Amino acid sequence: MLLRSNTENFNFLGFVIVVALVFSMFSRFLSSFSIYAAIFVFLSIVFISFLNNFKFTFNKYSIFVVLFVLNVIISYYFADYKYNVRGEIFLLLGSVVIYLLTTFLSQAQKKFMINVSVFMGLWLSIYIFAFNLSSVNFLKASMSTSCVTTYVCFLLVSFSLSFAFWNDQAKVYKFLPYILFCAILLTKLLIPITIACLVFAGSIFFLKKHKIKNIFSLSFALFSVLPCYWLFKTNFFNSKIFMWKTALFVIEDNFLIGVGFNNYKTVSRAYGLIQDIDISNIDNIFLQVLCENGIFGFVFFILILVTFFYYSIRKIKENRDFYFAIFVASISFLLYNFFNSSAFISSNMLLFFSILAMPVRQVKNIKVRKRKINSHILILLFVPFIFALGRFVYAKEQYNKGIYYLATAKYPVAQELFINSVCKDSLNPETFARLGDIYFYKYQNTKKRIFLELAISLYSRSLNLNNYNSNYCYQLAWLYSFYGKKDHVKKYIDKAILMDPFNFLYYENYNTLISLGVANDV
């Protein structure tokens, strides 16, 4: 193994990354922010302990990923919705730690990581097969769009990585690409099917030595034309163009700093161009990076990619099977996310950053040195940091419980839970909004204006935390209608319409709110 000493054993380094990947895959079923925090804290401890014990030569190209993170943190402070962005910041930090950790691994450990990723893709394939087999109408069966577009990205990358073991002596690896390819076909999504066909064609051509490999390669290449034809027949590219035009307006207003990492969906509705197209996502990884991180973040991201391709092309000569699969997997990821917004989701993002680090090496000959700080002491130093993160996790749990009691009309219990949540995390606008709902309920029962004033104050706080939420403006318009301030009513309903011009509920109640006549009967 790569790391072995008499004082401390770090052979589990690769295992740590694999655990993070597995956790990220199931983070959609758990508290995602808790997962991000756990990944970041755990990997930070391991990473700093590693640096504490061993000498190494830092690869100068790794500085680009560090600069990218610093740029993202700067954009966070200028974001209009810090609560949303904060969770994504922790995810990115965890991904960057994985990137840096991966550069310390040996070739064998990197192969082990890829192996696990491929078998995680196999698990997704079994899930897709089971779903289709359990459906009454096989041809019309379709999973949730948000679910399948997220998982098919991971599946497509796993499929590309599986070719790293295609010429392995173990027979099981020879069948994995075919199983994963069939699973991609069963998703019935044209973009990943097209990319998978092209990956199969290229892999057969470059990795196989059969006499008729050119025929098979050409067959898969020609098969990829069919889904492309169906894409052009549909309205697929027209809708993407509208989404990209919207993104250009956002870029124009946020060119230097961006709107905050993974924060585009909170500001996009204010830039809506057409009613029938969902513009909450950009569906283009490059435009997304430019929108959310500004021009500097975009440049650093491109430099990370250039570094990866530079090293990959050089190392394909050393180990063609492994590095060709890595190269193709990155191309598949970028191609898929050129038309989708699945790049910066936990499982996909962690896998992508680990792939980008595969050709980069930080250490040639590791020399064990005397520890500067005992690792147990080092971990204890992290306790305050873990406690600080735990406050946010606890706040979210209290908020979720409050939502339950609010839905069951147990307002006193819900109020106490929301107040506890605010004490631990004062940056969640939804908590203030739900407290505002409770005080408005109290106003309706008691007709005491103090409760109405508190509701207005809380909703104003929510709007300050998230300036792009049109619903907060709409609710403030109603609250001010009860308060009798007509100028404030018009101000906030106009602002809500400006933010979300295609929400017909706002137009429907516009005259009612302005006149203030019917408002008291609500």
Side-chain angles (χ1 to χ4, degrees), residues 190-257:
L190 299 179
I191 289 291
I193 290 173
T194 303
I195 297 172
C197 290
L198 294 174
V199 169
F200 227 137
S203 300
I204 291 172
F205 183 80
F206 285 103
L207 300 180
K208 284 296 181 182
K209 299 179 180 179
H210 295 299
K211 294 181 180 179
I212 58 172
K213 70 173 185 178
N214 292 340
I215 298 175
F216 284 109
S217 180
L218 182 62
S219 299
F220 276 103
L222 291 175
F223 185 71
S224 68
V225 176
L226 186 61
C228 287
Y229 170 74
W230 283 107
L231 283 173
F232 278 103
K233 282 192 68 175
T234 62
N235 197 34
F236 179 81
F237 291 106
N238 290 335
S239 62
K240 298 300 178 187
I241 290 170
F242 276 114
M243 296 167 75
W244 297 342
K245 283 183 178 179
T246 305
L248 292 176
F249 286 116
V250 179
I251 292 169
E252 186 178 351
D253 290 344
N254 304 273
F255 184 71
L256 288 178
I257 301 299

Side-chain angles (χ1 to χ4, degrees), residues 419-447:
I419 290 173
N420 289 338
S421 180
V422 167
C423 291
K424 297 296 185 293
D425 180 11
S426 60
L427 290 178
N428 184 357
E430 283 296 304
T431 309
F432 290 103
R434 300 293 76 78
L435 271 173
D437 292 338
I438 291 173
Y439 281 114
F440 179 69
Y441 167 78
K442 288 185 176 183
Y443 165 74
Q444 286 183 310
N445 283 348
T446 63
K447 299 302 178 182

Side-chain angles (χ1 to χ4, degrees), residues 399 402-403 406 418 429-439 458-459 462 471-472 475:
Y399 170 78
I403 291 294
L406 182 63
F418 288 138
E430 283 296 304
T431 309
F432 290 103
R434 300 293 76 78
L435 271 173
D437 292 338
I438 291 173
Y439 281 114
L458 289 164
Y459 261 103
S462 296
N471 184 59
Y472 296 157
Q475 297 299 334

Side-chain angles (χ1 to χ4, degrees), residues 125 152-163 166 176-205 216-228 231 324 328-329 331-337 339:
S125 300
V152 77
C153 179
F154 192 98
L155 186 61
L156 185 61
V157 175
S158 300
F159 165 69
S160 303
L161 292 174
S162 66
F163 290 101
W166 209 14
L176 281 178
Y178 297 98
I179 297 172
L180 295 170
F181 181 73
C182 290
I184 293 171
L185 291 178
L186 289 175
T187 63
K188 308 176 186 71
L189 296 177
L190 299 179
I191 289 291
I193 290 173
T194 303
I195 297 172
C197 290
L198 294 174
V199 169
F200 227 137
S203 300
I204 291 172
F205 183 80
F216 284 109
S217 180
L218 182 62
S219 299
F220 276 103
L222 291 175
F223 185 71
S224 68
V225 176
L226 186 61
C228 287
L231 283 173
F324 178 80
V328 171
I331 294 293
S332 301
F333 184 92
L334 293 172
L335 276 177
Y336 178 74
N337 286 289
F339 299 102

Side-chain angles (χ1 to χ4, degrees), residues 161-428:
L161 292 174
S162 66
F163 290 101
F165 310 99
W166 209 14
N167 294 322
D168 196 276
Q169 293 181 354
K171 291 184 179 181
V172 64
Y173 292 113
K174 301 182 188 301
F175 298 103
L176 281 178
Y178 297 98
I179 297 172
L180 295 170
F181 181 73
C182 290
I184 293 171
L185 291 178
L186 289 175
T187 63
K188 308 176 186 71
L189 296 177
L190 299 179
I191 289 291
I193 290 173
T194 303
I195 297 172
C197 290
L198 294 174
V199 169
F200 227 137
S203 300
I204 291 172
F205 183 80
F206 285 103
L207 300 180
K208 284 296 181 182
K209 299 179 180 179
H210 295 299
K211 294 181 180 179
I212 58 172
K213 70 173 185 178
N214 292 340
I215 298 175
F216 284 109
S217 180
L218 182 62
S219 299
F220 276 103
L222 291 175
F223 185 71
S224 68
V225 176
L226 186 61
C228 287
Y229 170 74
W230 283 107
L231 283 173
F232 278 103
K233 282 192 68 175
T234 62
N235 197 34
F236 179 81
F237 291 106
N238 290 335
S239 62
K240 298 300 178 187
I241 290 170
F242 276 114
M243 296 167 75
W244 297 342
K245 283 183 178 179
T246 305
L248 292 176
F249 286 116
V250 179
I251 292 169
E252 186 178 351
D253 290 344
N254 304 273
F255 184 71
L256 288 178
I257 301 299
V259 298
F261 184 71
N262 252 1
N263 198 37
Y264 179 81
K265 54 185 172 288
T266 67
V267 304
S268 58
R269 294 183 71 85
Y271 291 84
L273 291 173
I274 192 168
Q275 176 188 347
D276 298 327
I277 296 177
D278 180 14
I279 56 165
S280 58
N281 293 310
I282 302 177
D283 283 358
N284 185 294
I285 184 173
F286 299 103
L287 285 177
Q288 184 174 355
V289 171
L290 186 55
C291 277
E292 296 178 344
N293 306 292
I295 185 62
F296 298 109
F298 179 76
V299 170
F300 295 140
F301 182 72
I302 294 298
L303 288 174
I304 294 170
L305 296 180
V306 169
T307 300
F308 167 79
F309 289 121
Y310 169 74
Y311 276 107
S312 295
I313 292 170
R314 286 183 58 186
K315 293 201 170 187
I316 284 177
K317 298 177 183 178
E318 299 177 13
N319 189 334
R320 187 172 65 170
D321 288 3
F322 181 75
Y323 285 107
F324 178 80
I326 295 295
F327 182 87
V328 171
S330 64
I331 294 293
S332 301
F333 184 92
L334 293 172
L335 276 177
Y336 178 74
N337 286 289
F338 193 87
F339 299 102
N340 284 278
S341 293
S342 300
F344 300 117
I345 295 171
S346 56
S347 55
N348 302 337
M349 189 174 172
L350 294 178
L351 179 60
F352 181 55
F353 271 82
S354 65
I355 289 173
L356 291 179
M358 288 291 171
V360 183
R361 287 294 302 274
Q362 301 285 12
V363 181
K364 291 184 179 179
N365 297 309
I366 293 184
K367 298 178 181 178
V368 179
R369 70 179 180 187
K370 187 178 179 180
R371 291 171 295 191
K372 291 182 177 179
I373 305 175
N374 184 280
S375 290
H376 297 92
I377 297 175
L378 192 65
I379 291 173
L380 286 175
L381 293 175
F382 269 85
V383 170
F385 180 68
I386 296 171
F387 176 76
L389 286 177
R391 286 171 59 88
F392 300 130
V393 175
Y394 175 77
K396 187 169 184 178
E397 293 301 320
Q398 294 293 98
Y399 170 78
N400 291 336
K401 289 179 181 178
I403 291 294
Y404 169 77
Y405 285 108
L406 182 63
T408 54
K410 296 179 179 178
Y411 300 112
V413 181
Q415 179 181 346
E416 183 179 353
L417 289 167
F418 288 138
I419 290 173
N420 289 338
S421 180
V422 167
C423 291
K424 297 296 185 293
D425 180 11
S426 60
L427 290 178
N428 184 357

